[in-house]
C-alpha cells in the first residue's frame, strides 16, 4: 500500500493535448536540417509527441536524458507513425526503430544512449540515414 501511494503521489499530472511550446534546437543530418523540440524534463519526456495530429517533415523531438541508459519508447496516445533514432553522446545513431501509432510495444536502444530523436516515419529512410550515421548540433558537441 505504501509503495502504491508513493508511486501515485509522484505521478505527473495527466496531459490531454500536445505540447507545442518546448524549447527547440537545430540539428543536422548531413545536409538536412532538423528543427527539434527538446523534451528534457521527466514530464516533457513522458508526454513526448502524444496527441500530435501532424508534424512538418523537417521537425522532430529530441529526448535528452541525464545519464546514458537503455532507453525504451512506446506509442500510447501517439497518433503519428514515428521512427526513433537512438543516439550516442557524440551524435552517432546506434539504432533506429519504426513505431506504430497507439501501441504499447516497447522499442529500445541497442546499447545505453542519452538521446532519442523521433521523426515522422520514413524520414530517415528517405534521406538514406542508418545506424552509424552521425548527427550534428549543440547537444552532441557539449559532451
Amino acid at each position: 500500500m505504501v509503495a502504491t501511494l508513493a508511486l501515485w503521489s509522484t505521478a505527473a499530472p495527466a496531459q490531454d493535448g500536445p505540447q507545442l511550446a518546448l524549447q527547440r534546437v537545430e540539428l543536422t543530418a548531413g545536409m538536412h536540417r532538423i528543427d527539434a523540440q527538446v523534451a528534457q524534463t521527466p514530464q516533457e519526456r513522458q508526454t513526448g509527441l502524444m496527441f500530435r495530429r501532424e508534424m512538418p517533415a523537417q521537425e522532430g523531438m529530441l529526448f535528452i536524458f541525464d545519464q546514458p541508459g537503455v532507453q525504451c519508447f512506446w506509442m500510447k496516445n501517439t497518433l503519428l507513425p514515428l521512427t526513433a533514432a537512438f543516439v550516442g553522446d557524440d551524435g552517432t545513431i546506434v539504432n533506429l526503430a519504426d513505431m506504430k501509432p497507439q501501441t504499447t510495444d516497447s522499442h529500445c536502444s541497442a546499447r545505453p544512449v542519452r538521446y532519442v530523436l523521433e521523426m515522422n516515419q520514413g524520414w530517415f529512410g528517405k534521406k538514406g540515414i542508418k545506424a552509424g550515421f552521425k548527427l550534428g548540433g549543440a547537444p552532441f558537441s557539449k559532451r
Side-chain angles (χ1 to χ4, degrees):
M1 174 91 173
V2 174
T4 303
L5 180 59
L7 179 61
W8 179 80
S9 67
T10 61
Q15 175 91 18
D16 58 359
Q19 52 185 359
L20 301 172
L22 296 178
Q23 173 186 346
R24 292 178 177 266
V25 65
E26 184 173 316
L27 304 176
T28 58
M31 62 185 231
H32 306 286
R33 188 182 71 74
I34 301 166
D35 180 19
Q37 288 183 288
V38 176
Q40 193 160 0
T41 69
Q43 175 63 30
E44 291 167 350
R45 290 190 304 255
Q46 180 181 340
T47 303
L49 289 168
M50 288 181 178
F51 310 109
R52 291 278 303 260
R53 296 195 180 280
E54 60 186 8
M55 185 169 61
Q58 77 284 0
E59 286 189 18
M61 183 169 284
L62 181 66
F63 296 80
I64 302 176
F65 296 87
D66 295 333
Q67 297 293 323
V70 173
Q71 309 300 341
C72 294
F73 281 61
W74 64 348
M75 296 284 285
K76 184 176 181 179
N77 297 323
T78 305
L79 309 174
L80 303 170
L82 299 171
T83 299
F86 298 96
V87 183
D89 281 356
D90 68 349
T92 301
I93 297 175
V94 171
N95 62 296
L96 296 164
D98 286 340
M99 304 184 296
K100 293 182 183 177
Q102 302 199 62
T103 60
T104 56
D105 299 338
S106 192
H107 304 276
C108 301
S109 60
R111 67 175 193 259
V113 297
R114 187 184 314 265
Y115 305 100
V116 180
L117 175 62
E118 287 184 341
M119 298 291 289
N120 286 309
Q121 197 169 100
W123 188 89
F124 293 102
K126 288 175 188 169
K127 311 285 190 245
I129 298 169
K130 299 176 167 75
F133 193 95
K134 192 166 180 176
L135 301 175
F140 313 124
S141 60
K142 291 180 182 178
R143 306 260 170 225

